[in-house]
Amino acid sequence: MCKFYSYIVLAHLEGRTHKLHSERPTHTLSPGMSALCVLKTRCFLRQVLPGLPAAMHRHYSLDVSAPLLRTQGYVDGRWVSAASVFPVLDPATGKEITRVADCGAAEAKQAVDAAYKAFHSWKQCTAKERSILLRKWFDLLTLHKEDLAKLITFESGKPLREAVGEITYAASFLEWFSEEARRVYGDIVPSPAKDRKILLLKQPVGVASIITPWNFPSAMITRKVGAALAAGCTVVVKPAEDTPLSALALAELAEQAGIPAGVFNVVPCSREKTPSVGEVLCTDPLVAKISFTGSTATGKVLLKMAADTVKKASMELGGHAPFIVFDSADVDKAVAGAMGSKFRNSGQTCVCSNRFLVQSGIHDRFMEKLGQAMDAELRVGHGSDPETTQGPLINARAAEKVAHQVSDAVSRGAKVLKGGKRLDGSFMEPTLLANVSTEMLCMKEETFGPLLPVIRFNTEEEALAIANASNVGLAGYCYSQDVSQIWRVAEALEVGIVGINEGLLSTPEASFGGVKQSGLGCEGSKHGIKEYLEVKYMCFGGLKP
């Protein structure tokens, strides 16, 4: 395996991995220890981050129902251990929460084999039977949303309120695809010959490898797996090494819902084991499809690996979203949209606005109101604190990247209006930059952090030229009250998703996918299930006219 591949896949989730210094936890579950033997599992952590508010210097504890804190892999309906374990860290503190089975190529192969065996029976289930099981799984996610949200908060740093929102969002995909399972329709096509009938059947592709990121550790799984299972496919999930607990909790609830053994498998692994596990999931001939969310660079590597066996592929890759505010915009709505789009999950979403373009006529008023909103609404802290709106970034390396973009911008003439400081650990101050120009790093590469750079423009043509000057195109936003302008800009933006006077876009009813190097295919909506189906043409001949 070449060094380039090893580096890219090891850092496959947006290239944001970093070994944090940590101390031993007060409580650790070994992979062989069943969480069912205790009523509650508490991981007591102490935060010592002098660069943060005094309220951060306190104990925070992860307190979830024991069955949901799983630390083994899940293969063929069984909880399996591995030869070694790896730590899961709280990014807010750098402290170890627990240790999880470090699965390797052997466990990945076992999972693929189990999924392939289960596929032959799962595809024979009626659409209604699959629908009922997905609905039961949805009900269980809804029932346990508070505990599932806590897992997200402690392993990814996401503020608890947002984590609860993610679970609601994650569950909605199971609900949506439980309904779409019964709407996979074929076609009867008029034949040009009287003695033939033409039928087009929709059939599941087979085993799907699901490789998911840390920023939405539950929703990115259900968005893919809900569609796959609804179509009649079986899956092997490789969660991000930073956030395996959410995936394993989903496996526990899938089992409780009655999802048959081998249909849903989870293979957690460390950064070190990722190349070998990824190779199995992308090259094994029993795998028919791969679905990946992560960086464009890694997506290209996975596509090359899958090419030898011509696997079907869905790729939701990097973004660099423009956020355009025209003179005709409602400034208050534009500020609210910017706050929601930029600072949700501390700027760590695929559709986060990355480049802010504000027309000269309202630039100063927008900047003033935006600064006021940041002062009033943003609070940095541990995600479990109810006052927190801005948790840590996933690791110290992610914070270093944001700080580097800030320093680069300042060196090129940008002005820091708010924030700008790198705090201790994985924290970064929410930052507002003015006097931004197109040659700055923050305008050339995705940030994935709480940095809001604003560039002033004069004409619509200028804004579109800047917005489309990127090799990726996932999401874009525009604020205007001129209907003609809205149509022109929405059609001209080279992206797969457009928010018009709206900063929060995602819903299971709508398609989610990009153009250019932001990916292949789409997820969600009625189109999402098509990614897991093949069309078979049946020509029924020899009929008497």
Side-chain angles (χ1 to χ4, degrees), residues 131-143 148 171 174-175 221-222 225-226 229 235 237 247 249-259 264:
S131 174
I132 290 170
L133 291 175
L134 284 169
R135 179 72 196 199
K136 289 181 179 178
W137 199 9
F138 158 78
D139 289 337
L140 287 168
L141 260 69
T142 302
L143 179 64
L148 294 171
L174 298 181
E175 180 184 39
I221 292 175
T222 58
V225 172
L229 268 57
V235 301
V237 176
L250 290 178
E252 168 64 30
L253 295 180
E255 184 176 83
Q256 291 182 25
I259 303 294
F264 181 72

Side-chain angles (χ1 to χ4, degrees), residues 37-228:
C37 68
V38 292
L39 291 177
K40 294 285 185 182
T41 301
R42 291 190 172 115
C43 302
F44 292 103
L45 309 172
R46 178 164 179 79
Q47 186 150 20
V48 185
L49 296 175
L52 294 174
M56 288 294 293
H57 301 281
R58 61 178 67 161
H59 290 280
Y60 295 95
S61 88
L62 171 60
D63 187 351
V64 300
S65 300
L68 293 180
L69 184 58
R70 288 288 188 174
T71 57
Q72 296 170 288
Y74 186 71
V75 176
D76 201 16
R78 297 177 292 108
W79 294 100
V80 298
S81 299
S84 59
V85 295
F86 69 97
V88 179
L89 307 177
D90 178 351
T93 65
K95 301 297 181 65
E96 188 175 302
I97 301 170
T98 188
R99 295 187 177 188
V100 171
D102 194 2
C103 296
E107 290 81 10
K109 177 58 177 171
Q110 290 169 10
V112 169
D113 291 345
Y116 185 74
K117 179 181 177 182
F119 171 63
H120 295 290
S121 56
W122 180 246
K123 70 178 180 179
Q124 298 299 329
C125 291
T126 67
K128 183 176 181 179
E129 289 169 334
R130 294 196 296 269
S131 174
I132 290 170
L133 291 175
L134 284 169
R135 179 72 196 199
K136 289 181 179 178
W137 199 9
F138 158 78
D139 289 337
L140 287 168
L141 260 69
T142 302
L143 179 64
H144 295 284
K145 66 179 180 181
E146 298 295 337
D147 278 349
L148 294 171
K150 290 176 185 177
L151 289 174
I152 290 174
T153 292
F154 273 83
E155 66 179 349
S156 77
K158 183 175 295 186
L160 188 59
R161 186 183 305 170
E162 287 190 28
V164 172
E166 180 183 339
I167 295 302
T168 300
Y169 180 52
S172 72
F173 285 107
L174 298 181
E175 180 184 39
W176 173 259
F177 286 114
S178 73
E179 296 162 350
E180 286 299 294
R182 303 182 69 179
R183 301 190 182 100
V184 178
Y185 303 140
D187 297 293
I188 298 177
V189 181
S191 172
K194 293 181 179 179
D195 63 343
R196 299 177 184 178
K197 295 294 182 184
I198 297 174
L199 294 85
L200 304 180
L201 305 181
K202 304 283 182 66
Q203 295 184 310
V205 298
V207 176
S209 294
I210 308 295
I211 304 174
T212 57
W214 48 262
N215 59 337
F216 285 88
S218 291
M220 294 302 95
I221 292 175
T222 58
R223 188 163 74 187
K224 299 172 187 291
V225 172

